Amino acid sequence: MREGIELIKALSLAFGPTGCEGAVLALIKEEIEALPVELYTDRMGNLTAHLKGPEGAARVLLSAHMDEVGFMITEIEKEGFLRFATLGGIDPRVMVGRAVAVGDEKKRHNGVIAAKGIHFQSADERAKMPEVKDMYIDVGVPDRESAEALVSLGDFGTFDTPFLTLGDKGEYLSGKALDDRLGCAVLIELLRRVADKHLPLDLWFAFTVREEIGLSGATVVANRVAPDIAFILEATAMADLPDVPAARRVADMGMGGVLSLLDKGTIYDRTLIDKALEIGKRLDIPVQVKRFVSGGNDAKNVQRTGTGVRCMALSAPTRYLHAPVTVAKNSDALAMIALLEAMLCEL
């Protein structure tokens, strides 16, 4: 059983771009299958763990998505280079020269994202933002036939980034896919804490697919579970850099999970937000409110299922979201676990 930073590391390193989350699902299932829960994997590939409550208990869904931003192979050039589309919002400026892994749940091959070198670009080309259509993945083969022996059209790719701890105490975490594998780690640790508490709630822990494109996995889960309340665990960009005005910095690293008032898809349940803030203050659990409206998450679709779902989003503050490497702080993950456990105990 992995826990703490080791659990986050394993989840971060797992290969799981949107639409190819099987390896992440297998890892999570391994971590929770010994707990007294009913596990179910639906046709979409979502994994749910049901901690059954007493008859008539409020049905509560806690959800984190397994997928990460990545790539899909769309064409193989005669010289063996791979053309690709992005899965999720990735800034093209951070892509060229990055190591990637290409394949699916069963196979992986190393590659590098490449484009015309700066020495060969015209002045106009240097002044423009690079575009994905002008990039390709080099997997180290001389021709199309050799490439086809390794990969197929429709195969996937992710950034190939080592997981590191930063700082003299190793409190800062650096790796790919912390959006939303950090949320998955929080959900696993929370499930372990409450599995034997016999809370008067019907609890559903969901690890969803395809959040980065379409929010379709959570939609299927919410329609099946029909929750009364949903807690969406996420990661949020911070922009806490020296040249960013304070009003646009979103949140502060080390100050706990981030509560969203609203985003581009959802207005969140104010009663749940107020309860989270009250519990945080009373129990001295760090928690903060998101200061800039941006993005969206699975709550957009969960909220609109059935007769409506009361939703709260709690996000880990992170730097460099959707980039080859993301940075987070372990204390924020611990604060998220503590806050959610207290909320479940008091619902």
Side-chain angles (χ1 to χ4, degrees):
M1 181 181 75
R2 305 174 186 89
E3 55 187 2
I5 292 176
E6 285 304 310
L7 175 61
I8 298 170
K9 177 180 179 179
L11 289 165
S12 169
L13 293 175
F15 183 91
T18 295
C20 187
E21 299 93 343
V24 185
L25 185 152
L27 193 160
I28 293 172
K29 189 173 182 180
E30 178 184 327
E31 293 293 333
I32 64 175
E33 60 187 356
L35 297 173
V37 292
E38 179 183 327
L39 297 179
Y40 177 75
T41 304
D42 62 29
R43 295 174 183 171
M44 292 281 289
N46 301 294
L47 173 65
T48 54
H50 184 198
L51 194 59
K52 193 170 183 179
E55 189 72 25
R59 188 166 291 192
V60 179
L61 172 67
L62 300 105
S63 175
H65 68 88
M66 296 184 288
D67 57 313
E68 63 187 292
V69 296
F71 319 100
M72 179 179 284
I73 306 307
T74 58
E75 184 180 357
I76 302 176
E77 300 281 6
K78 64 179 181 180
E79 299 87 355
F81 297 105
L82 312 178
R83 298 288 182 180
F84 62 92
T86 54
L87 301 172
I90 308 175
D91 186 345
R93 293 174 297 182
V94 304
M95 293 171 59
V96 177
R98 296 291 183 174
V100 295
V102 180
D104 55 29
E105 284 100 339
K106 297 180 180 179
K107 65 176 186 292
R108 307 275 195 287
H109 298 286
N110 298 325
V112 177
I113 297 179
K116 185 190 290 186
I118 191 170
H119 303 88
F120 307 104
Q121 294 175 7
S122 66
D124 287 342
E125 288 174 326
R126 293 184 188 184
K128 293 179 180 178
M129 172 85 75
E131 296 186 52
V132 173
K133 68 179 181 63
D134 298 319
M135 301 178 193
Y136 46 84
I137 296 175
D138 182 353
V139 290
V141 296
D143 51 43
R144 180 183 290 129
E145 289 72 21
S146 301
E148 288 175 340
L150 301 179
V151 299
S152 303
L153 297 183
D155 276 358
F156 297 87
T158 64
F159 293 115
D160 189 5
T161 305
F163 182 91
L164 304 171
T165 56
L166 307 178
D168 58 342
K169 296 181 180 179
E171 172 70 8
Y172 289 84
L173 314 176
S174 167
K176 74 174 183 66
L178 295 183
D179 174 18
D180 186 32
R181 306 288 166 67
L182 192 59
C184 291
V186 167
L187 201 54
I188 291 169
E189 299 274 28
L190 178 64
L191 175 54
R192 289 170 176 167
R193 289 194 185 191
V194 303
D196 296 320
K197 284 185 178 292
H198 305 291
L199 297 176
L201 299 168
D202 195 46
L203 295 174
W204 295 77
F205 293 75
F207 302 88
T208 63
V209 299
R210 304 185 190 183
E211 189 270 351
E212 299 295 353
I213 294 183
L215 315 177
S216 55
T219 307
V220 170
V221 169
N223 276 307
R224 181 168 63 87
V225 173
D228 301 298
I229 295 171
F231 296 98
I232 309 300
L233 280 60
E234 257 289 4
T236 187
M238 290 176 53
D240 63 333
L241 299 173
D243 57 348
V244 177
R248 296 179 66 89
R249 290 196 178 191
V250 181
D252 298 307
M253 189 168 285
M255 297 300 291
V258 184
L259 293 164
S260 297
L261 299 176
L262 75 160
D263 55 35
K264 297 297 181 66
T266 309
I267 296 177
Y268 293 93
D269 187 275
R270 190 54 187 260
T271 304
L272 293 173
I273 294 169
D274 289 345
K275 183 65 174 176
L277 292 172
E278 185 273 325
I279 287 175
K281 183 177 181 180
R282 172 162 46 89
L283 300 182
D284 198 24
I285 300 171
V287 61
Q288 56 189 313
V289 174
K290 190 172 182 177
R291 301 193 295 267
F292 183 74
V293 177
S294 63
N297 55 55
D298 280 335
K300 175 183 176 181
N301 285 13
V302 171
Q303 187 183 58
R304 303 173 189 184
T305 57
T307 57
V309 181
R310 296 171 58 199
C311 287
M312 187 186 95
L314 183 65
S315 302
T318 61
R319 295 172 181 151
Y320 329 123
L321 201 71
H322 286 198
V325 60
T326 302
V327 173
K329 196 171 184 182
N330 189 49
S331 63
D332 291 324
L334 296 175
M336 292 170 68
I337 298 167
L339 181 67
L340 289 165
E341 181 182 12
M343 288 201 72
L344 292 180
C345 289
E346 296 191 21
L347 274 181

